[in-house]
Amino acid sequence: MSDIESRLAALEEQVRELRDEREIRELLSRYGYYADACLDDDYLALFTEDGAMDVSQGGSEDPYAVLRWEGQEAMRTFLTDRTAAHGDGFAGRSLHLQGNNLTVTVRGDTAVAAGYSFIFHQDGPRLKLLSASTNEWHMVRAAGGWRIALRRRRAVGSPDTAEVLTSTDRA
């Protein structure tokens, strides 16, 4: 392979990596937008068929107790389950902020991202912080783009916070 061919191949690989990271950041943005607008079908389409949500509650007697929903039917339950803080009055009054301090590692057709997220909710004249968490996102490349295979969210202070935040280092 000539020097020009090897440089071109390296540039093509860099462009692919940048495109993948951009698509992943877009995916996480859409996650928040679809959640806020209660666009459940669009939200669920961001996940693989066997996608999972693994989250600490943040508001119970044990704020680090983990709830898990796996598969499209269970994920639809997640959207309507009161323990997930969704329900009446959520549409148009919430802000899901994903991808803050985001790190992304792409390995072929899989990727891991880690970062912070916050959910704000309009409660009358006040804006309340509903949750602050660390997140580990596992994604796979599928027909039509990247999809979420697993979101692992932990409330701030969770014993496994460091593990979640360094997940991209181990990917």
Side-chain angles (χ1 to χ4, degrees):
M1 181 180 280
S2 74
D3 183 51
I4 290 176
E5 290 172 326
S6 63
R7 287 175 54 205
L8 180 59
L11 283 172
E12 287 174 340
E13 180 61 27
Q14 288 175 351
V15 168
R16 180 179 173 161
E17 288 174 13
L18 289 169
R19 189 177 64 235
D20 286 342
E21 186 173 331
R22 181 175 180 260
E23 289 176 13
I24 288 166
R25 288 177 184 277
E26 177 78 12
L27 173 68
L28 296 180
S29 292
R30 297 249 171 244
Y31 176 98
Y33 298 157
Y34 295 160
D36 294 337
C38 292
L39 297 172
D40 294 354
D41 291 334
D42 293 323
Y43 177 92
L44 291 171
L46 299 174
F47 287 84
T48 60
E49 284 297 316
D50 60 348
M53 183 76 70
D54 185 283
V55 302
S56 59
Q57 288 178 275
S60 68
E61 287 180 28
D62 178 1
Y64 308 121
V66 173
L67 300 173
R68 185 175 176 94
W69 296 267
E70 194 166 341
Q72 289 286 313
E73 186 176 323
M75 291 295 294
R76 192 169 292 280
T77 298
F78 164 77
L79 294 173
T80 58
D81 190 332
R82 294 284 182 206
T83 61
H86 294 105
D88 299 339
F90 208 70
R93 295 178 45 202
S94 64
L95 296 172
H96 285 72
L97 306 175
Q98 310 302 325
N100 300 289
N101 292 2
L102 190 69
T103 59
V104 178
T105 299
V106 178
R107 300 271 190 253
D109 290 336
T110 64
V112 177
Y116 304 134
S117 70
F118 305 93
I119 301 174
F120 292 93
H121 184 72
Q122 189 70 40
D123 185 15
R126 306 184 116 205
L127 189 62
K128 293 188 339 185
L129 176 64
L130 286 186
S131 77
S133 59
T134 59
N135 294 266
E136 176 180 338
W137 304 85
H138 292 258
M139 288 154 280
V140 296
R141 189 188 318 270
W146 288 96
R147 295 290 176 262
I148 301 165
L150 169 67
R151 179 189 183 196
R152 187 172 167 220
R153 184 190 86 190
R154 296 297 183 260
V156 171
S158 176
D160 53 352
T161 294
E163 180 183 326
V164 169
L165 290 176
T166 59
S167 59
T168 56
D169 297 341
R170 296 184 310 279

